[in-house]
Amino acid sequence: MFLFSKTPKTEQDRELLKFLKNILGFKPGNILLYKTALIHKSKSLKDDKGHRINNERLEYLGDTVLSTIIGDYLFKKYPHQGEGFLTEMRSKIVSRTSLNSLSKKIGLAQLIEYTHGKGVGYISMNGDAFEALIGAIYLDKGYDFTYKVLINRIFVSYMDFNTVETKEWNYKSKIIDWGQRTRHRISYQVADIIEIDRRKQYKIQIYIDSFPQETAIEFSIKAAEQLASEKTYKRLQEHGFIDIEN
């Protein structure tokens, strides 16, 4: 049993309903799903059996639904593009950086319930909540409705696909290419594995020759390597080691 009232009474409830109506264009059937989607694990509640209540399960579901919808949409939008292009486009859209930004743009980030401070998982908190929101819409309204909301309300208003097409994404390849040209050895190391509620996060340390560079934490090694590569590549650009046009 959730520790929520089904009748919205609080200021947070009113803000959530306003967000769903004004930004996403609908009224929820089950408000509890959307409230749960906004509970970061740092602010977990407990039901009467002691089970933790937060948005991680909805995030898991939303991640799957989001990937499917985007794959479906890109397949139809780009009928003559190959698998490589479609895969890279989807990866750009669902990257943690992209979803964090999208969550802020639509105003979802300011509705998240979390314990203020710095810690593991906070860097992806906004994107995680966005995925949890997609999971909540799917459970409440079904796939077709979720597809329409995501494409017609969010993507149309808040995402420029032309910009996504030209956006740099594979920073791991870029920094490895730079290392080969300049005879520097690029390597990656799993510095730590953090397990929270049976979900693993990987902390990746990137090295240039034997010198440690940036780190990143993500739910997969590949994603953490990409983020660490992006941070390192941009820092090298800032210090003039890599030309901006490269």
Side-chain angles (χ1 to χ4, degrees), residues 51-235:
H51 299 137
R52 285 160 57 90
I53 301 171
N54 57 47
N55 65 4
E56 289 190 320
R57 282 175 54 83
L58 284 173
E59 176 202 338
Y60 163 79
L61 178 62
D63 174 67
T64 303
V65 175
L66 179 64
S67 183
T68 300
I69 290 176
I70 292 173
D72 186 353
Y73 176 74
L74 293 176
F75 185 84
K76 296 170 182 174
K77 181 176 176 62
Y78 300 100
H80 304 298
Q81 293 287 359
E83 182 268 345
F85 172 88
L86 297 175
T87 297
E88 183 165 334
M89 280 289 288
R90 181 174 62 184
S91 296
K92 290 178 182 180
I93 294 169
V94 302
S95 71
R96 195 53 50 192
T97 299
S98 176
L99 294 185
N100 281 342
S101 176
L102 193 57
S103 180
K104 293 177 182 178
K105 286 181 180 178
I106 67 175
L108 180 67
Q110 65 189 35
L111 300 177
I112 300 171
E113 295 289 327
Y114 68 101
T115 300
H116 293 258
K118 295 181 179 180
V120 174
Y122 282 73
I123 192 172
S124 61
M125 178 178 68
N126 295 327
D128 294 345
F130 182 85
E131 288 180 333
L133 174 67
I134 297 299
I137 298 173
Y138 171 74
L139 288 177
D140 189 32
K141 302 288 189 177
Y143 178 85
D144 290 341
F145 186 92
T146 307
Y147 184 102
K148 291 177 181 177
V149 168
L150 184 62
I151 303 303
N152 298 333
R153 299 288 301 200
I154 298 178
F155 282 178
V156 166
S157 300
Y158 299 97
M159 185 168 290
D160 182 350
F161 279 85
N162 292 327
T163 300
V164 174
E165 282 187 50
T166 58
K167 181 181 180 181
E168 293 289 356
W169 176 74
N170 197 343
Y171 280 92
K172 182 178 179 181
S173 292
K174 287 171 69 68
I175 201 167
I176 288 175
D177 289 343
W178 170 82
Q180 291 173 345
R181 292 197 309 271
T182 57
R183 297 185 179 181
H184 289 293
R185 184 171 62 88
I186 309 299
S187 60
Y188 298 83
Q189 180 177 325
V190 178
D192 197 7
I193 300 176
I194 305 101
E195 187 166 354
I196 300 177
D197 293 337
R198 292 172 291 185
R199 295 193 68 192
K200 290 183 179 180
Q201 287 186 311
Y202 299 89
K203 182 179 181 180
I204 295 295
Q205 173 81 66
I206 184 172
Y207 291 86
I208 297 179
D209 299 324
S210 59
F211 298 99
Q213 305 297 316
E214 301 291 338
T215 62
I217 299 172
E218 271 291 359
F219 287 105
S220 73
I221 293 176
K222 182 178 179 180
E225 287 178 344
Q226 281 288 353
L227 183 56
S229 298
E230 180 179 357
K231 291 163 66 176
T232 300
Y233 193 90
K234 289 181 176 179
R235 186 170 59 80

Side-chain angles (χ1 to χ4, degrees), residues 16-17 20-21 26-34 140-141:
L16 175 56
L17 288 173
L20 293 173
K21 181 179 179 181
F26 70 91
K27 292 182 179 180
N30 183 355
I31 188 64
L32 302 183
L33 288 170
Y34 302 91
D140 189 32
K141 302 288 189 177

